[in-house]
Each structure stands twice: as structure tokens, then as C-alpha cells.
Amino acid sequence: MWDIGGRKGRTLLLQGHHDRVQSLCYLQLTRQLVSCSSDGGIAVWNMDVSREEAPQWLESDSCQKCEQPFFWNIKQMWDTKTLGLRQHHCRKCGQAVCGKCSSKRSSYPVMGFEFQVRMCDSCYDSIKDEDRTSLATFHEGKHNISHMSMDVARGLMVTCGTDRVVKVTCIIVPISISV
Ligand SMILES: [Zn+2]
Ligand SMILES: [Zn+2]
């Protein structure tokens, strides 16, 4: 999600699909974003919450937690007589870390991570149970969706798939309107 109108330069990541995202529809009234993917996944994102921007991935020649060298850091490997490690990134803080320092996985919906993603140990410990509350609902379209359109007023969603089927589905999107 790019904030192009607000000029605040925010980019939000929404990760809730396992396959290509094919279609999007924003429901103004309920402030929900509906996304469909080619594996039939339908996600309804609550856009009435403030999400955090995911960090840029940091570059480093050694783990930013335990300071062990990554495998291309020949000098430090030689100096410390250690074997280089693979570089990974913590999705929450963006630090370059080794596998040992980022062995845990957690979802973090406030940053758009509805699935479990790699976390460094300190970020994992900083996440409370309520931080894992999903900010989207997930549904199964039961065919390979290649396009979707909605008629919100009548509560209908139409999807067409690579299976040459057009499906019209009655949708029950949880609506909460505060007056
Ligand atoms: Zn490490
Ligand atoms: Zn972290």
C-alpha cells in the first residue's frame, strides 16, 4: 500500500497470500481491502487500523547480534578462525542476523505479516500475544482466481479463474460503521 495522496511516503507491506496476487478491490464504506490470489485465497484487510512500515533490510558483513562473520567475510573468518554463516534478516527490525540468532518465527500483523516470518530473538521477545491478533480475515475462493470484481451494495463478488469458471459469491464482509 503506497500512500500517494498523503505525501507521507509510507509503504505498507501486506503479506497474506501464498501465491500471486491477482486482483484488488477497496471497499470505501468499510475501509477494507479485498485481495485475491491465484491459489484461490481471498484476504479481507482491515484498513481502519494504523500499520507500521516494514524496515529496510540492513547490510552487514557479520551478524548484528552475535557478531559472527557471514560467509563472504573472509578476513574476519580468517582472523577469528571461524566458519562464515549465512545471512538472514529479521523482518521486524531489518537487522542482518545469522540463523542461530533468528531461529524463531512469528506473525506480526501490525507490520502486515499475517504469516509467521523470521524474527531475531529480541524482536520475538518484544512481541506480545495481542500483537499477533490478525488484522485481516482469510477465505477460500475454491478456484484459481485470475480476476475479481465486487458489487458491494448487493454483497456480491464475482471471480473468474484459470479453470474457465466464473463464480458469483454472496459475500458476508463484517461491516462496522461508526456514526
Ligand atoms: Zn548471530
Ligand atoms: Zn529483530
Side-chain angles (χ1 to χ4, degrees):
M1 287 288 292
W2 303 77
D3 180 357
I4 49 172
R7 292 176 189 274
K8 291 173 203 143
R10 299 189 78 218
T11 313
L12 299 177
L13 280 181
L14 300 175
Q15 268 185 33
H17 289 284
H18 293 288
D19 208 344
R20 280 201 305 283
V21 177
Q22 298 282 46
S23 223
L24 297 169
C25 183
Y26 182 65
L27 310 179
Q28 188 77 46
L29 193 66
T30 55
R31 292 172 152 272
Q32 287 167 313
L33 180 72
V34 183
S35 57
C36 296
S37 55
S38 54
D39 60 358
I42 299 169
V44 182
W45 303 87
N46 178 3
M47 299 313 291
D48 212 13
V49 290
S50 61
R51 284 188 177 78
E52 292 170 23
E53 254 182 303
Q56 294 276 337
W57 285 4
L58 302 172
E59 288 307 323
S60 177
D61 290 329
S62 53
C63 172
Q64 294 183 296
K65 294 287 177 194
C66 70
E67 293 173 1
Q68 288 226 64
F70 292 131
F71 64 82
W72 60 85
N73 188 348
I74 311 290
K75 189 182 178 296
Q76 195 188 336
M77 281 162 65
W78 180 261
D79 291 347
T80 59
K81 303 280 181 292
T82 47
L83 218 59
L85 304 170
R86 259 193 78 185
Q87 178 183 245
H88 301 281
H89 288 94
C90 170
R91 300 303 189 271
K92 187 170 179 282
C93 68
Q95 284 196 328
V97 286
C98 72
K100 230 176 162 179
C101 295
S102 61
S103 61
K104 295 188 175 124
R105 305 285 178 271
S106 174
S107 63
Y108 194 51
V110 80
M111 216 172 250
F113 300 119
E114 292 288 335
F115 300 146
Q116 298 207 331
V117 290
R118 183 180 291 272
M119 295 270 164
C120 72
D121 292 345
S122 49
C123 283
Y124 183 86
D125 292 340
S126 75
I127 297 175
K128 297 181 228 84
D129 275 347
E130 60 260 36
D131 295 333
R132 294 195 179 93
T133 307
S134 180
L135 299 174
T137 55
F138 297 93
H139 312 270
E140 182 49 63
K142 296 197 178 91
H143 72 153
N144 301 315
I145 298 170
S146 50
H147 191 66
M148 168 270 294
S149 183
M150 291 181 81
D151 181 342
V152 183
R154 290 198 288 170
L156 296 175
M157 169 189 267
V158 59
T159 54
C160 54
T162 50
D163 52 0
R164 292 184 279 177
V165 171
V166 176
K167 270 194 193 185
V168 181
T169 318
C170 195
I171 46 155
I172 301 142
V173 180
I175 292 176
S176 61
I177 306 166
S178 44
V179 186

